[in-house]
Amino acid sequence: MRNWKFTNLEKPSQSGTIVAGMGTTALEDQILNVLKIDNNDFASRVEMWVLLETESAKLAALRRTDQDISAIKKALDVYANKVKLGKQAAEEDLLFHLKIEEANKNAVLKSFMLIFRSDLINNFFQWDIFKKDSHITTVLDDHEVILGHIIAKKPEKAATAMGRHLNEVFVYCQSLKN
């Protein structure tokens, strides 16, 4: 059992209680416990992952550095090269998304995404949707659009592009539910 340290915040206009010292590991434990509650609701977990990814793209567009752009471009190039060779590029796709997460500069959001992704990843790349050539080409185009919006510092467009990019996965997941 964890011992939580509660601290009263005293401010002239307001007061409240926060949990101090709840680190990333504790946060991850709590999220994993929530995911175990309804293990059958995979579609809800995918929906949450899509929400986190779109917010990550939005924040990356606001906070990215030149080094982040270089890292995202490099990941995209590696993905594109593998796709052009006609090979599966699941790991390279994941790397592109991880570089966007790093660019969002929010450690808690990144932790949430890693937890959700690890929960989903075992199922994802087994799906037929990821093996279609049309999907692979569409993903490359989507990645280029997302990166363009991040470079241009257009957070809403980056989020919208990421949402569109992941919509096919969400719809596919919903179809499995029926």
Side-chain angles (χ1 to χ4, degrees), residues 5 40-41 44 62-63 67 78 82 88 90 97 109 117-118 126 135 147 149 156 163-164 167 170 173-174:
K5 178 181 170 187
N40 295 323
D41 196 0
S44 290
L62 290 169
R63 299 174 177 167
Q67 292 83 7
V78 171
K82 201 148 184 195
Q88 290 292 325
H97 288 268
L109 178 57
R117 184 175 290 111
S118 67
Q126 307 302 317
H135 174 77
L147 176 57
H149 293 311
E156 296 303 327
R164 261 190 249 116
N167 187 57
F170 182 68
C173 179
Q174 289 290 82

Side-chain angles (χ1 to χ4, degrees), residues 5-171:
K5 178 181 170 187
F6 292 90
T7 306
N8 285 329
L9 296 178
E10 306 233 344
K11 295 182 181 178
S13 61
Q14 62 183 356
S15 66
T17 304
I18 63 167
V19 178
M22 184 174 178
T24 304
T25 303
L27 182 63
E28 289 174 3
D29 289 346
Q30 294 299 315
I31 295 168
L32 288 171
N33 285 335
V34 169
L35 292 175
K36 290 176 188 174
I37 290 172
D38 191 359
N39 204 24
N40 295 323
D41 196 0
F42 188 71
S44 290
R45 289 183 280 170
V46 170
E47 184 175 37
M48 183 60 161
W49 171 69
V50 170
L51 292 168
L52 294 172
E53 285 274 3
T54 55
E55 189 62 24
S56 182
K58 182 179 182 178
L59 291 175
L62 290 169
R63 299 174 177 167
R64 95 297 187 278
T65 64
D66 290 342
Q67 292 83 7
D68 293 322
I69 294 299
S70 294
I72 298 169
K73 281 182 179 178
K74 184 177 179 183
L76 182 55
D77 288 344
V78 171
Y79 177 82
N81 289 334
K82 201 148 184 195
V83 167
K84 288 174 185 168
L85 294 172
K87 296 182 179 180
Q88 290 292 325
E91 290 177 14
E92 293 76 9
D93 178 60
L94 178 59
L95 181 61
F96 175 80
H97 288 268
L98 289 172
K99 293 303 174 184
I100 291 173
E101 289 166 28
E102 290 172 7
N104 78 34
K105 308 296 186 222
N106 184 315
V108 175
L109 178 57
K110 183 178 176 183
S111 292
F112 267 72
M113 292 180 71
L114 290 171
I115 294 164
F116 272 90
R117 184 175 290 111
S118 67
D119 181 56
L120 302 173
I121 203 89
N122 293 329
N123 295 299
F124 260 21
F125 298 114
Q126 307 302 317
W127 294 349
D128 293 335
I129 190 175
F130 289 107
K131 297 173 184 167
K132 294 180 185 176
D133 288 340
S134 61
H135 174 77
I136 293 168
T137 304
T138 301
V139 168
L140 180 57
D141 293 341
D142 289 351
H143 284 185
E144 289 171 350
V145 170
I146 293 163
L147 176 57
H149 293 311
I150 291 172
I151 290 170
K153 292 190 171 191
K154 295 183 177 179
E156 296 303 327
K157 288 188 176 194
T160 299
M162 183 64 81
R164 261 190 249 116
H165 170 60
L166 298 173
N167 187 57
E168 183 180 8
V169 175
F170 182 68
V171 169

